[in-house]
Amino acid sequence: MSCQVFSELGQLKALTRLYLSNNELTGAVPSEIGQLEPSTALDLYGNQLTGAVPSELGQLESLASLDLSNNDLTGALPSELGQLKALTSFRLSNNELT
């Protein structure tokens, strides 16, 4: 399953938690993920996601938990993640990040 599901999820303005772990999602995490505010939890653990961590994640001001571990993400972390002041749990293990 590709990550095209996110373009539709961005329209769910009341969504607070999204758990899509271990679903064999493939492809890049799309920029639409930044439209999921007021999300407090985003769990994409254990998929086959590739590419960079999108800078749009920094727009999720209410995000307290982010788990992108056990994917195939690459590149550097975007500086916009520093804007996540509510973040208390952040997991990125088992990727190819630099």
Side-chain angles (χ1 to χ4, degrees), residues 3-22:
C3 273
Q4 293 176 338
V5 67
F6 288 111
S7 60
E8 302 298 323
L9 289 175
Q11 299 173 22
L12 301 174
K13 301 301 181 193
L15 186 70
T16 58
R17 295 181 200 106
L18 179 62
Y19 299 104
L20 292 173
S21 60
N22 297 310

Side-chain angles (χ1 to χ4, degrees), residues 63-76:
L63 196 64
S65 176
L66 175 61
D67 191 346
L68 299 173
S69 58
N70 293 313
N71 282 288
D72 295 313
L73 298 171
T74 58

Side-chain angles (χ1 to χ4, degrees), residues 1-5 10 18-19 23 29 41 47 49 54 66 79 93:
M1 180 188 314
S2 74
C3 273
Q4 293 176 338
V5 67
L18 179 62
Y19 299 104
N23 276 293
V29 179
N47 286 291
L49 301 174
L66 175 61
S79 61
S93 60

